[in-house]
Amino acid sequence: MSSDLNWQHQDTGLTSGIAPLVQAKDNYDGELCSVARPPQALHLGDREKLSRSALLNRPPSGAHSLSNPGGKSSRTDSNFSIFSLIKRPRRSSTIVNNVEEVVKRRKFILKLSKALLSFGAPSHRIESQLSAASDILDAQAEFVHLPNIIIVSIRNGETRSTRTYFIRSRGRIALSSLHKVHQIYRDVLHDKLGAEAGTDALRNLLRSPAIYSLGWRCFLAFLCASIICGLSFGGSLVDMWVSGACACTLQYLGLNAANKSSMYANVYEISVSIVVAFVARGLSNIPGNIFCYSAISSAGVVVILPGFTVLISALELMSKNIFCGSVRIVYAIIYTLFLGFGLTIGSDFYLVIDRRARRAYYRSSIPENLTYTHGQFLMANGTSPFSSITGVLGQGNALHLGEHVIKGCIRDPLWGWWRQPLPWWALFFLVPIYSVCSSLSNLQYWRSVQLPVMVIFSCFSYAANRAASLVLPGRTDIVSAAGAFVIGSLGNFYSRVVRGTAFTSMVTGVLFLVPSGIAQGGGVTQTYHNSAEQYSSGFSLALRMISVAAGVTIGLFVSQVIVYLFGSRKNAAHFAF
């Protein structure tokens, strides 16, 4: 017997797939603890960690111990409560059935990092997910997450050396693939799948092509922009067709030309915003006010707005990831300025070509039917109050149709139904259709069980957002927080009870909150007459997106805290916003 630890192997009668029980007795405090340790684990180069693992790891469910003979659970029927559906027994944080070599486990960690970056996983959760996987698999790895890159440092206990890997990828959201990645991640960490099999599954997933063709994705962009034009920006039926065509062209250039040419990818957003603004300004100057410039231009570029980037940056700053959050939010603000500048160039370019449109545009700010008064006037306020001036004062109305302007578009009640904004009852079928199209455009498989869940959560979020906007008009942050709280509560509850994927079920509803909040703040494009007004308009758009993202962030975190107050602590990192 050793003076420190007395080791004694006992045969517990378990099957060959379960390791025999190892008992460790500490002579200093006299306590006895038990741990399930597979015999083949002694050949993986970590015999020196056996005593530490025996003292720290918990036995798997069904293992016999001295304190609980027979392996029966200590929970009785008297402990049942209304939260029994949420409070489930914790799983063992030890790999018992699928023990493999440490090299294979580390390969799984590296491939998991690549998959999370490629399919648009929430960046503020990547480090916690990889750290949880490394701890459970005993891979001895540390992680540093930067924008579009993950630095993995793996320690080798035998040779006392460290190897560093740089994993880089610039992907976009792919909901179906992201859901499969999370299923593989959960199966490996819950000891249902081996690390080598998980690596092969992730490799096949990364090599698989997109589930929809280029034509279908352009058609989905057409539907999304058309519906959002009528729902959020007050567009009529004819405006919806034009904005959908602009978004379809934008999607085609982004998926085809921008991917093939790195030079064009740098100016892709500015070029498409110029084209959209040019088309919208040209159509809005057709006599009769058939088309609305604000609705067409706002809905045409809503696909490339950095709303999701601003939201992710706010979540990272809230999670104390200062470096990534600050880099992303500065990029989003500058990107918004470039986007607004592109819209300005497109609009001004058409005004340069069409002189009649330029005169009508600048005359729109001059009052009509002026009444002139000549004499001496006394200023009641200003820098020098009560100072007198002499001259001619003209008074009049800037726009004689001011009472018929809805969300920046002129809507005369005498016009036909196809030139009027959509009625209120159109929301009942357009909101689900937009949710379906938005999910499919983010590469969600149309026959999956997750799709109806996404649509239902998105509809509930939009309903809460709409109700809050009626109660508190003009408060985009509070309105967005209300919608985010609803979808956050539903998504986290769905993850805890149904064991679904919280992040993928919440993405559609969260992305729906961004254009809704921007539309409530005045839309993307606003009237300007000089460069100072133009850049102030761009800054105001960036500030509106930041206010919306701040409200969404608060709502998501509050809902997460409330849901996770009940139930056991998760062994692995939760996959949610």
Side-chain angles (χ1 to χ4, degrees), residues 61-83:
S61 59
H64 300 275
S65 61
L66 296 180
S67 60
N68 187 16
K72 296 181 181 180
S73 175
S74 61
R75 301 178 66 185
T76 60
D77 296 337
S78 60
N79 294 330
F80 179 78
S81 65
I82 59 175
F83 303 111

Side-chain angles (χ1 to χ4, degrees), residues 172-176 437-444 507-508 511:
R172 53 165 298 174
I173 297 179
L175 295 180
S176 288
C437 295
S438 178
S439 301
L440 296 180
S441 64
N442 288 320
L443 301 180
Q444 174 65 33
V507 165
T508 302
L511 291 179

